[in-house]
Structures are given as C-alpha cells and as structure tokens.
C-alpha cells in the first residue's frame, strides 16, 4: 500500500463553486486516487475519489427521495467515519444543513440544537448513537429517519424509520440507475452561498449559537490558508478531530476536497497515536494539550530508558533547544550547535519523530489556545516546523498563522491573505473576509452584536505589532478588575498555568477581590507517573490531588507563572480540586473551554474558603455509580499559598 502518492497538479482555488462540484472534478481528474482510508478491524480500507463521489450521489438520491431538502438539517452523531462524511456531503449537495454534534454530547445538549431547526433525518455511527436518537424522539424531537452506519447490536431494533446505510445506498443506487440525468441534477442543486455545514459555538457564556457556513465561506477560508502556506495539494492528513468542531470540517472536507488530500481516519480515538505513526501525515493540526501529551510521553519514556540513552537525549536535545532559541531571537546557531545538529538528528531526533509519526510532516500547527514556550521550542528543536494558528468558527477556522520562516513565541502570525484585521477602540480584534459567516441562525440580536458593516467582532482582545504580527491576549468579555482596579484577563493566566504538564485545568479567581487565587485540576497521567517514580502511593485522583508533594508541584508551577506577572496580579492562594472539570457536568465545553459562571457557582464554598484564609475546606459532591445509584462523598481539600 502506497501511503504517499505523487501530488496532484495545483489548480485555481475558487469560491464560486461547491464542495460536491469539486468532488465531481476530483473524480474526473483523479478517479483512481485514494480519497479516504479508514482503519477497520486492523486493516486499512481504501475509497477512491470515484467511489466517494458515487457514495455521495447515492446517499443524496436516497435522502432526497425521502424528503430531505432546503431549510432543514441532517443531524450527524458519532466519531469520524467515512460514511458520516459522505452523509454531510450529500446534505450539502441537496441544499440542506449537515449538522454534526459531539459524540459524547448529552441529550440535553443535542435537544438544544435540534429544537431550533427542522431536523427529521439522523445519520448515526452505531448503536450508542441510535439509542440517543431514539431517546431524543421520546423527548419530543421530530426525528423521522434514523440511518446507521455500524449494524452491530441493532439486528433486533424495530423502531419506525430505522434504516441501515447499506439499505439507504441501495435505494439511492436504484434511483440513479432508473433516472437518467439525476447525477447532474443533484450536483446542480446547491450553489456557493448554500449551506456547507451547520456548526454550533462552544457556549462558554451561554447556550451554543448556530453557525451556518456556506460553501463560499469554507472555500474562502481554505484559499486564504493555502495562500499563507498552511497546506499544499495532495497532503496526507489524519482526521481525528471532532466532526462537530469547525477545524475538522475545514481541513477534512474543505481543504481535503479542494486540494485533493488523502484523508486517513483512525480506527478509534484510543488508537490515534498508533495510527499517526502508521500514516506519518504531511499535515497535522492539534491543540496545545495534544502536543503537551506527546511531549510528556517522550519524557516519561526517557526517564524509563537506559542511562546512556537518557544522556544522549539530554545532551543532543539541550543543544537543539539552545539553537532553536537563538533562531527565535533572530540569532544564528553557534558553530558547535550546527556541527552537533546532524548527529543529534541521527541519534535522537529522527528516532523520536519516527516513533511519534512525525517524520513526514511538512506543515504542523497548534491552535485553540496558547501553547507553552517549552513545548513549542521542543518540537521546533526536534525538527517539526510547528506554527501557531488562530481561527474561529464564525470565520471558517482560518484567521491568522505564522509564516514558515517567521515564527514568534508571543504572536499568532499575520492575518491571512484575503483577511483584513483591525483593532477596535475597545481593544477587540475585528476581521473582514469572504470566509466570515452571514450571522447566527435565528438569532438576530447576537448577529447584530457580532457583525458590523461586514466586520466580525471576534470577541478576542489583542493588538497588531508594527510589522503586522497579531497578538491575541484572550477573550475581551473576560477582562475583569480586582478590588484595587487592576485590569487582567483570567484566561491569559490560566493558559500559562496549563503550560505545566502537571496542570490539566485551572480557574483563576479575583474579580472584585483583593487578591488572585485559583482552583487547580491536576493532570492525572503525568502527575501519577511523577508520584510513582518517587514512591508516592495513592489510591485515586482525589487522593493524589491532596498529597503534600503534589501540592508543592502545583505551587512550583504557580511560582513560575507569578514571576512573569505584575505584583498585584500574582496568585496568592490555591486549592487542588478532587476531580477534573467535566463537560458532562457543564463545567467546561466539549472543546474544554471553561464555563466560568458554572465553576464559580458550583465551587463557591472552596472560593469562600480561599478568600477567608482557611487552610482547608470540606467539599461535598454527588456521585452517580454505574448501577445508577446516587451517593454523596465528602473530602477535605487543602488550601495553601504558592
């Protein structure tokens, strides 16, 4: 099996077309070329561009015959799967909205999105997602047709409207065979300004808002990113990001079809790192936490390796990191650093990249939030040309990014070609581009607040440096003041605390208070390994979080960040929480953004104890066991100074 085929020829990237029409063009020009590859039962299954087009047409023909059309949505539930992507393309072909939701979304979260738009069709990955669809029906959702991909466990189901993908495809194939000209008619339905995808905002400050991105929006974003050298024609990618996140659709479907990528889909989320090594993609986007996790894995393995290997790693990586820091400061590497680099690549960096699946990377990006300086420099030193990407759903995922030869630690690069940026008097970053959406679905008030004369209010505070580089400080809505009037952005401090591999989540406190404090959630895996290496025993996350040694570990991270902050904005007291912030509990969004109002309300006793000067606080929590029984647990949480 050839994983890296010859690149397709470049072509003009236009916005006056649609993804289905580009798919048809790919089938004509590259019919036998692999479009999608999926790991299933340990074997990579391949689908060519011709086969992908035929599958999409069959699905569209069958869905149209059953009534799917404009002004309604196809609800897509599940992990990344080829047929789910096909269903989204088919919906876009018919002028309908493909509306993916997170696979672990709760019924309440899904009910919120289906109540605001006409949804009669569901495309579900498996039995778990079908069960959700049936539960939504019982709650009053008007879901008439439930199409499922994986049939395991569904043989005995007899719910009305339940249909296998195979049966749906057969319906579509029969209709295409019986109706000459139907293929051309289906491809002609949608226009550039019709929906490509229906995404929802993360909902950090309220209920998620509906965002319809047109084919023109998505294709403009891809064109702008390509012009900034984000990706090239014929990239190999691993599609593992949640389908409900705009980044996945923009890259997998938008760029994947426009630039004729080979789209590789992991067997399941737990095998992503293993499949990453098998594929060795040429393009890879990951959140800072994912890059941190891979780095932690390398560090843990090196701690467990032989003394010689550990010495070689420490010596050559220290040399490479020192050289990379000089580059970032605008200085050339020293003669010794240049001489040692090839040896370090052969002995250390090359094998590490091979183990991680990063050997083929031409373009690597981090986005979603700030990445730690040490993590960023490590990958650059390893030979991975990691760059920062700044984007958001309302602008089709791509706003600004580092140029390959112009990387700075504190910026997100320049606005992309085709994107205008300016800073409002309030300090808010504003953007204008063909990639910007037309407004929130059925929410005129929010639209008026977000769009002004074609300019998008990003909601982010920042500034543009004299040379055009954009700096993002954090959410403008989160700019708050202490009791003494000191202005700060909690998220800015939180991101820097999360640069520590031992801190997974944190909520910085201090609005209207005399000092700043924090509630910290440790990252169980690296902290657990750190404890085990040092002979510190523990029985649970809650137990580990309260160990004196772990509290000191957190204190060290806070002291490190405090050294970079102005004296009035340094964290004075903190508590280590007995559990992680949980999306199911509403404490964070599905993209792990903090819902500050929920956290501050739920953990009010901890916050009160922090500011009362207490040394500890008893925290009662309700827990639901696997058998459905509900219990209450009480734990004493330590509160201390850094």
């Amino acid at each position: 099996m050839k994983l890296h085929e010859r690149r397709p020829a470049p072509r003009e990237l236009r916005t006056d077309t649609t993804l289905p029409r580009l798919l048809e063009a790919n089938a004509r020009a590259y019919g036998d070329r692999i479009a999608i590859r999926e790991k299933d039962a340990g074997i990579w299954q391949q689908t060519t561009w011709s086969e992908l087009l035929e599958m999409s047409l069959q699905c569209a023909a069958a869905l149209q015959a059953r009534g799917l059309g404009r002004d309604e949505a196809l609800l897509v539930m599940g992990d990344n799967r080829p047929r789910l992507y096909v269903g989204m393309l088919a919906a876009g072909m018919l002028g309908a909205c493909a509306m993916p939701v997170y696979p672990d979304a709760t019924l309440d979260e899904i009910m919120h999105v289906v109540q605001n738009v006409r949804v009669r069709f569901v495309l579900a990955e498996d039995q778990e997602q079908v069960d959700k669809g049936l539960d939504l029906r019982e709650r009053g959702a008007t879901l008439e047709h439930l199409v499922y991909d994986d049939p395991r466990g569904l043989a005995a189901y007899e719910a009305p409207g339940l249909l296998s993908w195979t049966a749906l495809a057969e319906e579509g194939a029969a209709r295409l065979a019986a109706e000459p000209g139907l293929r051309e008619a289906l491809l002609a339905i949608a226009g550039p300004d019709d929906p490509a995808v229906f995404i929802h905002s993360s909902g950090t400050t309220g209920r998620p808002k509906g965002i319809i991105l047109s084919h023109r929006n998505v294709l403009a974003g891809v064109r702008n990113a390509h012009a900034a050298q984000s990706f090239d024609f014929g990239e190999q990618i691993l599609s593992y990001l949640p389908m409900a996140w705009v980044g996945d659709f923009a890259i997998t479907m938008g760029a994947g079809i426009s630039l004729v990528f080979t789209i590789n889909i992991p067997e399941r989320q737990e095998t992503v790192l293993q499949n990453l090594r098998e594929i060795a993609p040429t393009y890879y986007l990951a959140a800072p936490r994912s890059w941190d996790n891979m780095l932690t894995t390398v560090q843990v393995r090196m701690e467990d390796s032989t003394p010689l290997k550990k010495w070689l790693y420490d010596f050559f990586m220290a040399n490479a990191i020192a050289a990379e820091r000089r580059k970032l400061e605008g200085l050339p590497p020293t003669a010794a650093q240049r001489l040692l680099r090839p040896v370090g690549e052969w002995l250390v960096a090359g094998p590490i990249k091979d183990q991680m699946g990063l050997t083929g990377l031409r373009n690597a990006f981090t986005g979603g939030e700030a990445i730690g300086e040490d993590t960023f420099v490590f990958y650059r030193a390893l030979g991975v040309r990691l760059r920062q990407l700044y984007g958001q759903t309302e602008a089709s995922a791509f706003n600004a990014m580092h140029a390959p030869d112009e990387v700075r630690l504190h910026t997100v690069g320049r606005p992309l070609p085709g994107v205008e940026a300016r800073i409002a008097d309030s300090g808010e970053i504003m953007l204008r581009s063909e990639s910007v959406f037309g407004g929130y679905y059925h929410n005129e008030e929010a639209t008026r607040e977000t769009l002004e004369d074609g300019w998008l209010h990003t909601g982010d505070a920042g500034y543009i440096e004299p040379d055009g580089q954009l700096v993002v400080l954090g959410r403008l809505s989160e700019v708050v003041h202490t009791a003494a009037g000191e202005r700060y952005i909690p998220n800015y401090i939180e991101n820097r605390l999360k640069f520590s591999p031992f801190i997974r989540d944190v909520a910085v406190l201090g609005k209207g208070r005399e000092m700043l404090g924090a509630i910290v959630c440790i990252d169980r895996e690296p902290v657990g390994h750190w404890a085990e290496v040092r002979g510190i025993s523990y029985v649970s996350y809650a137990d580990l979080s309260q160990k004196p040694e772990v509290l000191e570990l957190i204190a060290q991270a806070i002291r490190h960040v405090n050294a970079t902050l102005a004296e009035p904005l340094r964290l004075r007291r903190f508590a280590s929480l007995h559990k992680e912030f949980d999306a199911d509990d509403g404490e964070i969004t599905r993209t792990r953004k903090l819902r500050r109002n929920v956290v501050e309300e739920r953990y009010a006793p901890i916050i009160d104890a922090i500011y009362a000067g207490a040394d500890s606080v008893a925290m009662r929590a309700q827990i639901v066991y696997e058998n459905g029984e509900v219990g209450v647990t009480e734990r004493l949480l330590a509160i201390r100074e850094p």
Side-chain angles (χ1 to χ4, degrees):
M1 177 177 68
K2 293 186 297 180
L3 290 185
H4 297 280
E5 303 175 89
R6 185 172 55 87
R7 284 199 203 178
R11 64 186 176 200
E12 182 185 1
L13 296 180
R14 297 163 43 195
T15 61
D16 60 346
T17 184
T18 67
L19 290 174
R21 291 176 197 170
L22 288 172
L23 172 60
E24 192 270 339
N26 289 352
R28 279 190 283 107
Y30 307 105
D32 294 333
R33 184 183 177 91
I34 298 169
I36 292 182
R37 185 185 289 116
E38 177 193 25
K39 190 73 175 289
D40 183 31
I43 300 173
W44 288 100
Q45 310 290 338
Q46 301 177 159
T47 301
T48 65
W49 285 106
S50 292
E51 292 168 339
L52 183 61
L53 173 64
E54 191 65 17
M55 291 169 64
S56 301
L57 287 167
Q58 290 174 359
C59 182
L63 291 176
Q64 186 189 54
R66 286 175 171 262
L68 180 64
R70 296 183 183 277
D71 300 321
E72 59 182 320
L74 169 70
L75 181 64
V76 180
M77 302 193 299
D79 276 319
N80 313 61
R81 288 291 170 260
R83 288 171 174 173
L84 269 59
Y85 284 120
V86 168
M88 294 171 72
L89 286 171
M93 197 180 294
L94 298 174
C97 301
M99 191 168 70
V101 294
Y102 289 95
D104 57 350
T106 65
L107 293 178
D108 287 340
E109 291 170 334
I110 302 175
M111 278 300 294
H112 168 70
V113 303
V114 302
Q115 286 173 337
N116 297 325
V117 63
R118 190 179 186 220
V119 181
R120 296 183 298 127
F121 292 80
V122 177
L123 179 54
E125 177 193 1
D126 53 18
Q127 182 185 17
E128 177 187 356
Q129 303 300 335
V130 168
D131 287 340
K132 278 188 188 178
L134 296 176
D135 288 341
L136 289 168
R137 266 187 185 174
E138 292 183 2
R139 291 190 175 206
T142 58
L143 307 180
E144 299 174 13
H145 307 272
L146 278 77
V147 181
Y148 58 87
D149 178 10
D150 186 347
R152 286 176 293 185
L154 293 167
Y157 280 45
E158 296 180 352
L162 193 60
L163 184 71
S164 71
W165 175 274
T166 302
L168 183 80
E170 289 173 354
E171 287 182 11
R175 188 174 172 221
L176 289 170
E179 300 180 33
L182 181 58
R183 284 177 168 79
E184 291 74 18
L186 290 171
L187 290 168
I189 292 174
D193 296 312
D194 284 320
V197 68
F198 192 147
I199 301 287
H200 283 80
S201 66
S202 57
T204 53
T205 58
R207 302 290 276 178
K209 297 184 286 289
I211 299 168
I212 293 180
L213 297 175
S214 68
H215 295 276
R216 189 186 304 277
N217 293 148
V218 173
L219 295 176
V222 170
R223 177 201 60 198
N224 297 344
H226 175 260
Q229 302 180 62
S230 173
F231 30 57
D232 203 350
F233 284 83
E235 300 277 12
Q236 289 272 347
I237 64 170
L238 187 67
S239 296
Y240 73 100
L241 298 167
M243 296 178 71
W245 185 56
V246 67
D248 178 71
F249 189 86
I251 295 169
T252 302
M253 293 286 94
I257 294 174
S258 299
L259 282 76
V260 202
F261 289 178
T262 299
I263 301 161
N264 301 280
I265 298 177
E267 189 160 12
R268 55 185 184 275
Q269 286 298 313
E270 294 77 14
T271 67
V272 165
L273 293 182
Q274 175 187 334
N275 298 153
L276 179 69
R277 185 185 179 193
E278 295 175 77
I279 292 299
T282 58
Y283 178 95
Y284 190 63
L285 166 66
R289 179 58 59 180
S290 295
W291 292 110
D292 288 340
N293 289 343
M294 284 197 286
L295 173 55
T296 299
T297 299
V298 171
Q299 292 171 333
V300 167
R301 289 180 179 175
M302 292 315 304
E303 282 190 17
D304 294 338
S305 65
T306 64
L308 176 60
K309 288 182 178 179
K310 191 173 187 307
W311 182 87
L312 290 171
Y313 170 83
D314 290 340
F315 178 78
F316 283 105
M317 283 308 302
N319 176 78
I321 288 171
E324 189 59 38
R325 288 191 180 278
R326 285 181 62 86
K327 290 180 187 177
L328 292 172
E329 292 169 2
L331 302 172
T334 65
Q337 289 168 346
R338 288 196 301 270
L339 288 171
L340 288 172
R341 182 62 192 244
V343 182
E345 174 69 24
W346 177 55
L347 289 175
V348 177
I352 289 175
K353 286 185 289 187
D354 180 61
Q355 285 293 319
M356 298 168 72
L358 306 179
T359 52
L361 276 184
R362 294 193 294 262
N363 296 290
F365 286 90
T366 177
E369 58 185 358
I371 188 170
E373 178 180 327
D374 291 342
T375 301
F376 190 82
V377 173
F378 170 84
Y379 285 103
R380 299 281 300 183
L382 197 64
V384 175
R385 300 176 68 191
L386 187 60
R387 295 186 269 161
Q388 181 77 36
L389 166 67
Y390 169 57
Q392 61 191 129
T393 307
E394 290 86 345
S396 305
F398 303 112
N399 293 342
M401 65 180 64
H402 284 143
D405 58 349
E406 196 176 40
V407 173
R408 297 183 189 171
L409 291 171
H410 69 290
T411 77
V412 295
R414 301 177 188 276
L416 305 181
V419 176
E420 298 177 74
R422 65 181 176 88
I423 306 300
D425 293 340
S426 63
E428 181 179 16
I429 299 169
M430 299 186 70
L431 303 170
R432 185 164 62 182
S433 172
E434 200 176 9
S435 64
V436 171
F437 78 141
Y440 294 110
Y441 187 77
H442 287 180
N443 193 334
E444 293 183 5
E445 181 181 354
T447 298
R448 284 194 300 270
E449 294 173 353
T450 303
L451 293 175
E452 180 184 347
D453 297 328
W455 287 90
L456 171 68
H457 287 263
T458 64
D460 291 323
Y463 61 91
I464 299 174
E465 296 197 325
D467 65 352
Q469 293 261 358
L470 180 63
V471 177
V472 180
L473 298 174
R475 297 298 292 171
L476 188 70
S477 61
E478 292 204 341
V479 175
V480 293
H481 298 81
T482 65
E486 292 288 342
R487 180 178 181 270
Y488 72 101
I489 300 176
N491 182 249
Y492 177 85
I493 302 173
E494 289 160 357
N495 282 337
R496 274 141 190 81
L497 287 169
K498 289 190 289 184
F499 291 167
S500 165
F502 304 118
I503 296 177
R504 182 167 177 79
D505 287 302
V506 59
V508 168
L509 317 165
K511 180 181 180 181
R513 304 272 192 171
E514 65 279 6
M515 67 174 189
L516 269 60
I519 298 175
V520 178
C521 302
I522 62 170
D523 196 328
R524 177 169 186 159
E525 186 174 348
V527 174
H529 183 269
W530 180 90
E532 289 167 10
V533 168
R534 288 156 181 79
I536 302 169
S537 61
Y538 63 94
V539 295
S540 65
Y541 180 102
D543 182 34
L544 179 64
S545 71
Q546 303 306 307
K547 294 290 183 183
E549 299 89 345
V550 172
L551 294 174
E552 176 57 27
L553 199 63
I554 297 171
Q556 290 174 9
I558 292 177
R559 288 196 293 268
H560 179 72
V561 172
N562 274 349
T564 68
L565 299 172
E567 178 68 26
L569 299 180
R570 292 177 179 173
L571 299 172
R572 304 301 179 185
R573 309 196 78 216
F574 72 91
S576 178
L577 200 61
H578 58 288
K579 61 179 283 294
E580 293 182 355
F581 291 149
D582 194 334
D584 288 341
D585 293 337
E587 297 163 345
I588 54 174
T589 69
R590 296 291 164 187
T591 53
R592 301 204 63 82
K593 294 178 181 177
L594 186 70
R595 285 197 169 110
R596 196 170 305 280
N597 56 339
V598 175
V599 169
E600 291 181 353
E601 179 182 346
R602 182 163 297 162
Y603 299 111
I606 299 177
I607 298 172
D608 291 342
I610 288 174
Y611 285 100
D615 294 330
S616 62
V617 59
M619 188 65 195
R620 292 172 58 87
Q622 179 177 294
I623 55 175
V624 180
Y625 298 101
E626 291 183 0
N627 62 3
E629 293 182 4
V630 178
V632 175
T633 181
E634 182 172 309
R635 179 166 292 274
L636 195 66
L637 305 184
I639 299 174
R640 58 163 287 181
E641 298 177 356

